[in-house]
Amino acid sequence: MRADAGRYLESVKNSLGEVGTEVSVVGKQGEAASVIIEEAETGSSTIVMISSHGRSGVTRWAMGSVAEKVLQATNNPLLIIRDQTGEGTSMIEGDKDSHDWNALLSVSNIIIPLDGSPLSEQVIPHATVLANSLGVPVTPIRVSNSPEDDSENIEYLKNVAKGIRDAGLQSNDGDVLHGNPATAIIQMTETIPNSLVAMTTRGRSGIQRWVMGSVTDRVVRHSSSPALVIRGT
């Protein structure tokens, strides 16, 4: 199995030979999620990219066990790509689709849900770097509890968008949404084709350090869009 894993990793490396950056492969033995988390923590600037399968209906984001364990426990930024084949793959399994990042390469907009708190805004620098790399615009959004707050929320989003544009990126003035926050965000990802949603979540120390906030948790689990999740500090 180790030899097979080595051959598979080399084939992946060879397929990425023209990406214009250094590519290395590592094969290790152990419990998959733990190995991924430990490898990521060897570098504080490492981002974990992993695919997870989805299902139709309410359970369409029934995440694979490896992806979910990584999501719950890693300190590193995590980019989750939903397997569009519906067959279910992970980065470490060696399936033919596990390194097919078409969902990421086709992203045409990055949605940043914000609630006005410094915690939620911690994702902005990460999202803008990704937007710059992909050459796509950014859409900041905020879910309002009451239409009476709309004017304040509109002004808040305009200021966020201005900061993004001042950084040399494209951004509209954002959108104020209403209703259940997670539902509204998910519907927004469906309204904008090929969108990626970038969110911050809270963390705790120890085994529960990646106890996700309920809104981020629901969005990641039920949206069919790729998701960038940053652990807030």
Side-chain angles (χ1 to χ4, degrees), residues 28-50:
K28 291 189 176 183
Q29 183 174 341
E31 197 276 323
S34 297
V35 171
I36 293 169
I37 293 165
E38 290 171 3
E39 182 67 21
E41 289 183 343
T42 60
S44 60
S45 59
T46 297
I47 181 172
V48 179
M49 300 174 64
I50 192 166

Side-chain angles (χ1 to χ4, degrees), residues 118-133:
L119 176 71
S120 69
E121 293 170 359
Q122 288 181 22
V123 77
I124 294 176
H126 300 271
T128 52
V129 167
L130 184 58
N132 185 54
S133 298

Side-chain angles (χ1 to χ4, degrees), residues 9 12 15 24-26 33-34 38 45 60 76 85 134-135 147 164 170 184 203 209 216 231:
L9 290 172
V12 173
S15 72
S24 60
V25 294
V26 177
S34 297
E38 290 171 3
S45 59
R60 63 180 175 178
N76 297 76
T85 67
L134 296 175
I164 294 172
Q170 301 177 57
R209 60 184 175 181
T216 304
R231 182 193 174 197

Side-chain angles (χ1 to χ4, degrees), residues 75 118-119 122 200-203 230-233:
N75 278 318
L119 176 71
Q122 288 181 22
T200 311
T201 190
R202 298 182 183 276
I230 306 298
R231 182 193 174 197
T233 57

Side-chain angles (χ1 to χ4, degrees), residues 13 27 35 52 54 68 70 80 93 108 122 135 152 154 162 174 222 227-229 231:
K13 179 179 178 180
V35 171
S52 180
E68 184 159 8
V70 174
I80 303 171
E93 290 176 334
S108 60
Q122 288 181 22
E152 179 181 342
I154 289 172
K162 182 180 182 302
H222 295 288
L228 173 66
V229 183
R231 182 193 174 197

Side-chain angles (χ1 to χ4, degrees), residues 177-194:
L177 311 178
H178 301 90
N180 176 275
T183 301
I185 294 167
I186 292 169
Q187 290 175 344
M188 188 68 176
T189 65
E190 295 171 348
T191 300
I192 303 177
N194 300 320

Side-chain angles (χ1 to χ4, degrees), residues 82-204:
R82 181 186 172 192
D83 168 34
Q84 301 298 317
T85 67
E87 297 173 355
T89 61
S90 74
M91 284 292 287
I92 44 73
E93 290 176 334
D95 298 292
K96 63 182 177 63
D97 296 310
S98 64
H99 55 279
D100 182 359
W101 299 107
N102 289 333
L104 178 60
L105 297 176
S106 63
V107 166
S108 60
N109 192 289
I110 295 181
I111 298 172
I112 308 179
L114 303 165
D115 61 11
S117 69
L119 176 71
S120 69
E121 293 170 359
Q122 288 181 22
V123 77
I124 294 176
H126 300 271
T128 52
V129 167
L130 184 58
N132 185 54
S133 298
L134 296 175
V136 299
V138 177
T139 299
I141 64 173
R142 186 171 182 180
V143 182
S144 175
N145 294 324
S146 170
E148 297 177 356
D149 299 328
D150 281 1
S151 59
E152 179 181 342
N153 291 326
I154 289 172
E155 189 64 27
Y156 167 75
L157 291 176
K158 282 184 178 180
N159 289 332
V160 171
K162 182 180 182 302
I164 294 172
R165 288 194 292 267
D166 288 345
L169 299 172
Q170 301 177 57
S171 177
N172 57 29
D173 285 338
D175 288 289
V176 177
L177 311 178
H178 301 90
N180 176 275
T183 301
I185 294 167
I186 292 169
Q187 290 175 344
M188 188 68 176
T189 65
E190 295 171 348
T191 300
I192 303 177
N194 300 320
S195 61
L196 177 147
V197 59
M199 302 183 71
T200 311
T201 190
R202 298 182 183 276
R204 298 179 183 177

